[in-house]
Amino acid sequence: MVTILLFQKFSANLTKIHDFVTHRRHNVVEVIFVTFSERLRQLRQEKKMTQSTLGRAIDISPRMISFYESGNHFPRDEIILKRMANLFEVSLDYLLGHSDLREEAALKKLCGTYRSLSDADRRTAMDFISFLAEKNHPKD
């Protein structure tokens, strides 16, 4: 009951549920706000595309692109999201703001390599990744 009340109180302050992202870093919870609309605009501008060009590339109207970028609408169709991610060569998690990792191909390769490892090698790989993360982001 308390959790529901807290969520309702907190969610009343949120404009869109898909804008809310929680990250865990070194046992500390950080709450950040990343909007799909901001990420879409950033990716489109990096490719030097107009809203019309993007709309044609993924087969939707430029007006819908404008609605997405202004935060007034969110794609209802998974196919549209996949087209965007493929066009910009990013993961869906990156596009939606759930990750800051853009490299879809590198992530797929990493996952494939990880799956091919023995359990012992997987533990070693995770220990090494944790070491690198700590080295690059020491505890405050």
Side-chain angles (χ1 to χ4, degrees):
M1 179 74 171
V2 173
T3 305
I4 293 171
L5 292 175
L6 286 173
F7 179 75
Q8 288 173 343
K9 182 178 178 182
F10 186 71
S11 66
N13 296 325
L14 298 176
T15 55
K16 297 172 211 67
I17 194 66
H18 63 271
D19 293 345
F20 180 65
V21 181
T22 302
H23 288 270
R24 292 196 177 273
R25 191 190 99 208
H26 304 292
N27 298 325
V28 176
V29 176
E30 297 176 4
V31 178
I32 61 168
F33 291 91
V34 177
T35 62
F36 164 76
S37 59
E38 291 169 351
R39 194 69 40 104
L40 178 60
R41 179 178 290 114
Q42 172 198 3
L43 291 167
R44 179 181 59 78
Q45 289 173 345
E46 284 176 10
K47 290 262 190 188
K48 297 182 177 16
M49 298 176 83
T50 64
Q51 290 178 342
S52 296
T53 306
L54 176 57
R56 280 192 303 274
I58 60 173
D59 199 29
I60 61 173
S61 73
R63 185 173 180 190
M64 284 309 298
I65 300 296
S66 175
F67 285 149
Y68 295 159
E69 288 186 2
S70 67
N72 292 327
H73 289 279
F74 184 80
R76 294 182 197 166
D77 191 350
E78 181 181 333
I79 294 169
I80 299 298
L81 289 170
K82 286 181 178 179
R83 286 178 188 164
M84 288 178 185
N86 288 336
L87 177 69
F88 295 124
E89 299 174 335
V90 298
S91 68
L92 284 172
D93 281 342
Y94 180 81
L95 181 62
L96 296 174
H98 297 296
S99 171
D100 289 329
L101 298 174
R102 296 175 69 148
E103 304 86 10
E104 179 72 14
L107 290 173
K108 286 181 180 179
K109 182 178 180 182
L110 180 64
C111 289
T113 302
Y114 182 81
R115 284 187 203 109
S116 70
L117 298 174
S118 68
D119 287 341
D121 287 342
R122 285 181 182 185
R123 283 190 296 277
T124 301
M126 291 306 297
D127 288 344
F128 185 66
I129 289 171
S130 295
F131 165 75
L132 291 175
E134 180 64 30
K135 181 179 136 194
N136 289 309
H137 302 286
K139 293 179 182 175
D140 298 336

